[in-house]
C-alpha cells in the first residue's frame, strides 16, 4: 500500500558520502612543531584547546546528524509511492 510495487521501476537513491575531510578539523596539542619534552606545556595546550575541541565535536555531530537525516529522507523517498510518507 505504501511502497512502490514496481520493482523494475525502482531506482536506488544516490547518496553523497560524508568523509572526514567534510567535517571540521579537531584541534590538537600535538599539531605544533615541538619535541614534546615539556609534557607540562603539552598538557597546558590541551587544557587551552578544550573549549575549541568541544565546539569542534559538537559541529561534527551536528553535521553527521544532518547528513544521516538527509540519507534517510532520500532512501525513504525512493521507497515510498507517496513522498508525504518519506517526510514523516
Amino acid at each position: 500500500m505504501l511502497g512502490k510495487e514496481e520493482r523494475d521501476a525502482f531506482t536506488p537513491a544516490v547518496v553523497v558520502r560524508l568523509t572526514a575531510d567534510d567535517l571540521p578539523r579537531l584541534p590538537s596539542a600535538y599539531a605544533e612543531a615541538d619535541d614534546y619534552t615539556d609534557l607540562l606545556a603539552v598538557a597546558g595546550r590541551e587544557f587551552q584547546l578544550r573549549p575549541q575541541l568541544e565546539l569542534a565535536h559538537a559541529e561534527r555531530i551536528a553535521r553527521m546528524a544532518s547528513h544521516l537525516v538527509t540519507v534517510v529522507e532520500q532512501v525513504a523517498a525512493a521507497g515510498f509511492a507517496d513522498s508525504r510518507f518519506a517526510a514523516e
Side-chain angles (χ1 to χ4, degrees):
M1 176 174 187
L2 299 177
K4 294 181 180 176
E5 299 299 326
E6 302 164 5
R7 294 290 178 202
D8 297 334
F10 179 74
T11 304
V14 177
V15 177
V16 177
R17 292 177 185 248
L18 183 67
T19 66
D21 293 334
D22 299 326
L23 301 173
R25 297 254 182 249
L26 295 175
S28 172
Y30 299 99
E32 298 176 15
D34 195 353
D35 59 3
Y36 307 112
T37 55
D38 186 0
L39 295 179
L40 289 177
V42 172
R45 283 195 299 262
E46 287 178 353
F47 182 75
Q48 290 174 340
L49 290 174
R50 187 171 295 144
Q52 294 170 340
L53 184 61
E54 290 174 358
L55 179 62
H57 277 300
E59 289 174 0
R60 289 168 70 98
I61 290 170
R63 191 158 312 164
M64 286 185 285
S66 173
H67 177 74
L68 182 59
V69 167
T70 300
V71 168
V72 169
E73 288 174 345
Q74 289 174 347
V75 170
F80 284 113
D82 189 337
S83 61
R84 290 178 298 167
F85 294 111
E88 293 178 5

